[in-house]
Amino acid sequence: MKDLKFEQKRSLSRLEAADQLTALAAALREGGEAELDFGSGTLSLRIPDDLHSEMEIEIGNGEIELEIEFKWPTARKRAATAPAPTAPGAAAAATRKRTPAKPGRGDTGKAVKRAAAKK
């Protein structure tokens, strides 16, 4: 179910259509809280900085249909928090598989030789 739906169908002159589009363009340009006058009432909208748009043109049956659609979420976006700075290589180290340390190549046998020498 939709939270709100406003629909208005009527015949307009070319100048009236231009006036409606001009008012909408001004509201989009300004952003924030916009009020659009629709003859019988006023519609108040919150318009964010980023929108999704679709434009559709259909020609057929002796008519041209032009649809312009703008979408945006009703909830305000939270400010993105930047991740805490890390030391170089820390991210790679954090993602590496943790395995027990193995003796290096040159170390093999040294501990055994030392232990044997002490006996």
Side-chain angles (χ1 to χ4, degrees):
M1 183 173 150
K2 299 207 183 263
D3 291 336
L4 171 72
K5 183 174 182 174
F6 174 85
E7 191 172 71
Q8 183 180 59
K9 294 182 182 184
R10 64 185 179 114
S11 294
L12 301 172
S13 71
R14 183 174 44 85
L15 292 176
E16 288 171 322
D19 288 344
Q20 277 192 353
L21 290 173
T22 300
L24 179 58
L28 288 169
R29 184 173 312 282
E30 190 167 316
E33 296 293 325
E35 289 191 358
L36 300 170
D37 185 23
F38 284 106
S40 60
T42 302
L43 180 63
S44 296
L45 295 172
R46 179 195 58 83
I47 301 177
D49 291 337
D50 295 311
L51 312 165
H52 175 78
S53 71
E54 275 183 44
M55 183 180 287
E56 185 178 323
I57 300 171
E58 291 182 30
I59 301 172
N61 299 327
E63 288 185 325
I64 297 174
E65 182 177 334
L66 168 64
E67 290 184 28
I68 301 171
E69 181 176 288
F70 296 104
K71 289 183 184 180
W72 62 88
T74 54
R76 296 176 192 258
K77 284 187 178 181
R78 293 184 199 171
T81 56
T86 58
T95 58
R96 271 190 230 124
K97 185 177 177 183
R98 306 256 183 228
T99 56
K102 295 180 184 175
R105 242 188 198 165
D107 292 341
T108 46
K110 282 187 180 178
V112 176
K113 287 180 188 175
R114 276 192 216 128
K118 289 183 180 180
K119 286 183 182 179

